[in-house]
Amino acid sequence: LGIAADEYDNVNVLRITEQTNFENPDVVRGLREIIKGAPACSLHGSLPCTVWSTWQHMAIAKGGRRYLNELTRRRERSVALLKSFIELCELADKTRYSHHL
């Protein structure tokens, strides 16, 4: 999307990567402000999915309770990322709709 956006005027792509730390509440608050000021924005996400892979069953069998505890922590982080992303998507929809009234 970023490469394709370069072909158009007034189209900006803001990439949120692991280095951006989407888990940081200040980052999410900043994104909320950007979305509020950009009623035509579009959000696209690709969140890490490794922790939900069926291969985790094998890893649990091999790593036991210790691995399962770490996996549980990683899954909780994954759910938190997804919740933040959904919250931002809902805000984008609300912002887009309110500007069309």
Side-chain angles (χ1 to χ4, degrees), residues 16-101:
I16 306 303
T17 66
E18 189 173 9
Q19 290 73 29
T20 310
N21 192 4
F22 191 57
E23 294 180 77
N24 182 332
D26 291 333
V27 169
V28 176
R29 272 192 290 279
L31 292 170
R32 274 193 218 111
E33 294 307 312
I34 291 169
I35 290 169
K36 288 176 186 176
C41 76
S42 175
L43 277 65
H44 303 264
S46 177
L47 301 172
C49 61
T50 305
V51 297
W52 303 106
S53 166
T54 56
W55 280 97
Q56 293 300 337
H57 297 292
M58 185 177 67
I60 292 167
K62 185 176 179 182
R65 174 64 57 191
R66 186 178 200 176
Y67 184 84
L68 178 59
N69 290 341
E70 174 61 21
L71 178 62
T72 299
R73 186 188 67 74
R74 290 171 49 211
R75 283 180 171 176
E76 288 169 354
R77 288 177 61 207
S78 176
V79 169
L81 289 172
L82 182 59
K83 285 181 180 181
S84 290
F85 183 72
I86 290 170
E87 173 190 325
L88 293 175
C89 290
E90 289 173 343
L91 176 61
D93 280 347
K94 179 181 173 184
T95 302
R96 186 176 307 112
Y97 178 73
S98 69
H99 278 80
H100 285 93
L101 293 178

